[in-house]
Amino acid sequence: LDANVVPILDSSGEINNVLVLLIDITKIKRLEKMRTEFVANVSHELRTPITAVKGFTETLLDGTINDEDTRRTFLQIIHKESDRLHRLISDLLDLTKIEQNKEILNFSKVDLKSLIQSTIATMRPQIEKNKISIYEELDEVQVEADEDRLRQVMINLINNGIAYTPENGSITVRLYQHNKDFIKIEVEDTGIGIPEKSLPRIFERFYRVDKARSRESGGTGLGLAIVKHIIESHGGSIHVESRVGKGSKFTIIFPKKKYDIYET
Ligand code: ADP
């Protein structure tokens, strides 16, 4: 709380009253803290791949490595890290745009069943490579939404399912009518699960349960933050249930009709 005390003088210049202004600055402070943390996080996330790229190119330029295999390994690392940098920057830009509502959603009628089917089709090679099964339980459902953004939501959730589910596990995607105005999408996996204390935090930017594992799977730590923003900007909601060692289930409740806020 911030307090300002203003004396109120009478005609003879005597203080006969004081005005006390109490301003609640906790919210402002909290926003400030979040912004500082965000900048620190971004800097750290960017520095890691840049340091790797810089280090390995310098070593290659030294000319001291004659072994062709080692040179190739170094180049592969540089390639992987620049890829990561690219993903990180485009995720960050996406998130900022969605957050500032700068990017107006491009509404159209979307056949969600075929959107999900085609998304899964493009991800199938990766799913098979990871020796995971995927099941679809999809009803015919139409919504008014930004098709590209919804596709991004499905990609991010299924990608996480793949990244955090060991071999022989499975992912199930369900789509059905929830009630008159809303539909429901579920993405459930039989993966490693999320500890209970982490559950409230996983939609935060850069929050990861296991940093090393996320990095290994190519994650940026922004996937779920983007998902949440897209869903909420459509007037929907998302929540997660999970048990360590058993798996996780992400549930989206999504309006069938265009959300009022974008009516104008
Ligand atoms: P990342 O790029 O690290 O996957 P996300 O924002 O997509 O970032 O997810 C945040 C964190 O939530 C992940 O690092 C991981 O710890 C956890 N997580 C997300 N999805 C799953 C899942 N399906 N199973 C287990 N953990 C998950």
Side-chain angles (χ1 to χ4, degrees):
L1 226 55
D2 208 11
N4 273 327
V5 183
V6 184
I8 296 174
L9 312 179
D10 60 18
S11 50
S12 60
E14 295 283 316
I15 300 175
N16 73 354
N17 236 323
V18 288
L19 180 68
V20 181
L21 283 174
L22 295 173
I23 304 159
D24 184 1
I25 54 164
T26 41
K27 203 172 163 202
I28 301 167
K29 276 260 153 63
R30 202 173 56 225
L31 280 176
E32 244 168 46
K33 187 162 169 267
M34 271 172 64
R35 201 169 348 222
T36 321
E37 277 173 5
F38 180 63
V39 173
N41 275 332
V42 172
S43 316
H44 175 78
E45 296 291 333
L46 293 175
R47 195 176 297 133
T48 318
I50 288 172
T51 308
V53 169
K54 202 161 167 284
F56 284 103
T57 37
E58 276 165 10
T59 313
L60 283 172
L61 285 170
D62 266 357
T64 46
I65 292 167
N66 301 315
D67 175 35
E68 193 51 42
D69 282 348
T70 313
R71 290 166 67 95
R72 210 179 148 69
T73 308
F74 281 16
L75 285 171
Q76 274 162 350
I77 297 173
I78 294 169
H79 184 250
K80 195 173 156 211
E81 292 299 317
S82 31
D83 221 31
R84 200 182 153 63
L85 209 51
H86 180 244
R87 226 164 330 115
L88 197 60
I89 291 168
S90 75
D91 275 4
L92 271 173
L93 287 175
D94 269 353
L95 194 60
T96 320
K97 268 193 276 179
I98 304 166
E99 270 187 348
Q100 297 178 338
N101 276 335
K102 275 231 170 96
E103 191 162 66
I104 302 301
L105 297 175
N106 232 328
F107 279 92
S108 66
K109 278 210 167 18
V110 179
D111 174 353
L112 252 183
K113 181 179 178 178
S114 53
L115 181 143
I116 293 174
Q117 282 173 329
S118 61
T119 307
I120 291 176
T122 62
M123 301 177 84
R124 213 169 270 283
Q126 203 198 336
I127 295 170
E128 278 165 14
K129 195 173 137 226
N130 283 264
K131 300 197 171 65
I132 296 171
S133 318
I134 187 150
Y135 303 106
E136 301 168 26
E137 298 170 15
L138 310 171
D139 288 348
E140 293 286 350
V141 164
Q142 307 273 341
V143 292
E144 280 174 22
D146 186 316
E147 183 163 358
D148 292 340
R149 290 294 177 205
L150 265 191
R151 191 178 295 277
Q152 197 177 356
V153 165
M154 295 314 299
I155 291 174
N156 289 4
L157 289 180
I158 297 169
N159 251 333
N160 280 349
I162 300 170
Y164 301 106
T165 303
E167 274 187 18
N168 301 320
S170 68
I171 302 172
T172 306
V173 185
R174 298 185 195 87
L175 167 68
Y176 51 95
Q177 190 94 13
H178 176 56
N179 58 30
K180 187 167 82 46
D181 298 318
F182 289 86
I183 60 111
K184 206 172 199 176
I185 304 171
E186 293 174 354
V187 180
E188 184 169 9
D189 63 56
T190 61
I192 59 170
I194 301 159
E196 204 178 332
K197 71 169 179 12
S198 299
L199 282 178
R201 302 201 56 192
I202 58 163
F203 294 100
E204 283 173 26
R205 299 177 285 198
F206 297 122
Y207 182 82
R208 290 125 158 170
V209 176
D210 178 347
K211 271 208 189 309
R213 184 170 185 134
S214 158
R215 198 156 278 145
E216 194 48 45
S217 66
T220 61
L222 294 171
L224 286 180
I226 292 175
V227 165
K228 187 168 197 266
H229 274 289
I230 294 175
I231 297 301
E232 288 180 352
S233 66
H234 280 85
S237 64
I238 178 162
H239 77 272
V240 57
E241 294 155 73
S242 186
R243 278 182 55 205
V244 172
K246 295 274 184 226
S248 312
K249 180 161 100 176
F250 289 84
T251 305
I252 295 171
I253 310 277
F254 198 87
K256 286 161 70 177
K257 292 251 176 283
K258 189 175 161 186
Y259 189 44
D260 275 350
I261 204 165
Y262 288 100
E263 213 66 82
T264 45

